[in-house]
Amino acid sequence: MTLLKRLGAYQTQGLVPAMSASGKLTRVVGLTLEAVGCTAAVGSQCKIQTQFGDMDAEVVGFSDDKLFLMPSESLKGVIPGARVTPVGQGEGVPVGMELLGRVIDGIGQPLDGLGPIVTSKNADFTAQRINPMARKPIREPMDVGVRAINALITVGQGQRMGLFAGSGVGKSVLLGMMTRGAKADVVIVGLIGERGREVKEFIDEILGDEGRARSVVVAAPADSSPLMRLKGCETALTLAEYFRDQGLSVLLLMDSLTRYAQAQREIALAVGEPPASKGYPPSVFARLPALVERAGNGNESAGQGGITAFFTVLTEGDDLQDPIADASRAILDGHIVLSRQLADSGHYPAIDIEKSISRVMTSVTTETHQQQARAVKQAYALYQQNHDLINLGAYQSGADPRLDMAILIRPRLDHFLTQSMTDVVEMPMCLTDLATISAPLLRAN
């Protein structure tokens, strides 16, 4: 039975409102279309007649008898009075093991030229909430192959982390490092709102053949419509949820959460929602936690796996108090801050360990590991606080034994925190290196 026939059967039972056969376009405002003469639920799909054939659009709001539609592509060819035909909720996203190694757009269509994607199952863009009491607790560390993270900002399986950075400080490279080095069964990469050039470079140069073989890449570049960018994020979460439900360990890398918020802002403002904080309407701050909460560990009794997620957050002007950055910090389980100053000095990955924190580290590491990491971070912070005095020669050796030790190990610490983008350092080696570098600090204390 087709989707429209099933909807018709449900309508006769009074389970969903009836949809009128067709209406017409009356107005185009920016990227939003207004239609009258038809009825459809928010979130349902419509076909719009154009000079070049039918165009897909989604109902994003209504006012009295007017529907507000957001197209998934360019408005080229739209004509006044064009026919608008509601077609229901759509088929959803194709899900299955056949997607591994593929690159798809925001609604699941292939972009890699490797032919159509044929799966036996489709999933809805939205998902049922998991009872928080049924979620498996975070108790095991996740090896991401990056020494600074494994040793000092240890991530747990099922944790949701934020990667906060301005433009051009190495977010994509760090994501690629984690894709290759993470001990996960499946990797889902969402490239949302990025430059089209970066999509191919990420796949060919950063991800590589080895990383791509166990990955699915969802790409909705900057020139995609706001609806496609919004759907791209939701598609990435839908795929991650499918693999999690198969009992697999999933690593989700979403670049970026900010572009998701900006896409929702464009849609909300277009339908008349008033702005609240720096141009962002309230619906943006409602949708962010709804998206983030879809990641995490699954239902333990149902044999589900977990989704360990890294959401990048673009800090405009390197401002960590940006509304989206501030809201994201409150709903994530920790944050990794990339420093422009470190990046400018050639220190990669440019992780500022002083400003970064994992909120579940104490649950997934031993007491010895925590003491070693604490000693290293304290030495790093002490050196940073006295950096100007040291460079000017105003500090005299012997004045502070702790600072003397921090100065002594600083070259070794810098080497410890840097890593080539092609290197993968596994957790046991990270812990061995951490123990070596922290030993003199713990003895001094």
Side-chain angles (χ1 to χ4, degrees), residues 29-34 42 58-63 68-71 225-227 229-230 259-288 324:
V29 183
L31 297 176
T32 309
L33 308 175
E34 295 182 7
V42 173
E58 182 175 308
V59 180
V60 294
F62 60 86
S63 176
F68 298 131
L69 309 173
M70 181 65 66
S225 70
L227 180 64
R229 281 177 269 143
L230 206 67
R259 305 301 187 195
Y260 175 81
Q262 290 174 345
Q264 173 59 22
R265 176 176 64 180
E266 292 177 40
I267 294 174
L269 293 178
V271 299
E273 186 178 353
S277 177
K278 290 192 176 180
Y280 288 97
S283 63
V284 171
F285 302 101
R287 295 196 70 153
L288 283 177
I324 300 303

Side-chain angles (χ1 to χ4, degrees), residues 152 342 351-356 372-390 400 402-407 409-410 413-414 417 441:
L152 302 176
L342 290 176
I351 298 174
D352 188 338
I353 63 171
E354 193 176 5
K355 296 181 179 178
S356 304
Q372 293 169 347
R374 193 178 305 118
V376 169
K377 294 184 77 170
Q378 287 172 350
Y380 181 91
L382 185 61
Y383 184 94
Q384 292 298 109
Q385 293 165 8
N386 294 275
H387 181 264
D388 292 339
L389 288 176
I390 296 169
D400 185 345
R402 294 186 307 139
L403 183 55
D404 291 340
M405 184 59 68
I407 295 172
I409 71 161
R410 181 64 186 209
L413 183 55
D414 285 339
L417 295 175
L441 297 172

Side-chain angles (χ1 to χ4, degrees), residues 31-302:
L31 297 176
T32 309
L33 308 175
E34 295 182 7
V36 297
C38 57
T39 302
V42 173
S44 61
Q45 304 296 308
C46 293
K47 294 286 187 181
I48 301 176
Q49 178 189 25
T50 73
Q51 289 181 330
F52 309 106
D54 287 344
M55 176 177 67
D56 294 323
E58 182 175 308
V59 180
V60 294
F62 60 86
S63 176
D64 295 329
D65 60 342
K66 290 189 297 186
L67 291 181
F68 298 131
L69 309 173
M70 181 65 66
S72 59
E73 52 196 279
S74 169
L75 291 175
K76 185 177 180 180
V78 174
I79 55 179
R83 184 178 68 251
V84 178
T85 306
V87 293
Q89 294 294 330
E91 297 180 351
V93 185
V95 291
M97 301 303 290
E98 298 86 353
L99 284 162
L100 293 179
R102 301 301 300 268
V103 183
I104 60 176
D105 66 9
I107 56 175
Q109 299 301 312
L111 294 176
D112 49 17
L114 299 179
I117 298 174
V118 180
T119 63
S120 59
K121 184 179 179 181
N122 284 21
D124 194 9
F125 288 101
T126 59
Q128 292 184 347
R129 294 176 62 239
I130 296 179
N131 186 330
M133 297 300 294
R135 284 187 185 268
K136 179 182 177 181
I138 301 174
R139 290 291 181 265
E140 298 295 327
M142 164 68 80
D143 186 352
V144 298
V146 179
R147 187 163 42 226
I149 298 176
N150 280 349
L152 302 176
I153 322 165
T154 311
V155 177
Q157 294 182 19
Q159 185 173 359
R160 291 81 56 93
M161 288 287 284
L163 190 59
F164 291 71
S167 57
V169 295
K171 295 190 305 297
S172 297
V173 174
L174 181 55
L175 291 180
M177 292 172 66
M178 290 191 288
T179 303
R180 289 191 299 271
K183 301 300 182 183
D185 300 317
V186 176
V187 180
I188 307 296
V189 182
L191 301 177
I192 310 301
E194 297 299 315
R195 294 181 288 272
R197 171 185 61 82
E198 288 186 336
V199 173
K200 184 170 178 59
E201 287 182 359
F202 182 89
I203 294 170
D204 292 343
E205 300 175 14
I206 299 177
L207 192 59
D209 293 337
E210 182 181 352
R212 184 172 175 179
R214 59 180 180 137
S215 304
V216 184
V217 179
V218 181
D223 59 348
S224 303
S225 70
L227 180 64
M228 189 65 77
R229 281 177 269 143
L230 206 67
K231 291 293 186 185
C233 288
E234 294 171 355
T235 293
L237 263 300
T238 299
L239 296 178
E241 289 167 337
Y242 168 79
F243 290 112
R244 179 200 64 195
D245 293 346
Q246 311 310 305
L248 301 176
S249 172
V250 182
L251 176 66
L252 171 67
L253 305 174
M254 183 72 72
D255 188 12
S256 68
L257 196 61
T258 304
R259 305 301 187 195
Y260 175 81
Q262 290 174 345
Q264 173 59 22
R265 176 176 64 180
E266 292 177 40
I267 294 174
L269 293 178
V271 299
E273 186 178 353
S277 177
K278 290 192 176 180
Y280 288 97
S283 63
V284 171
F285 302 101
R287 295 196 70 153
L288 283 177
L291 183 79
V292 169
E293 282 296 320
R294 294 175 65 176
N297 283 332
N299 191 324
E300 188 172 17
S301 61

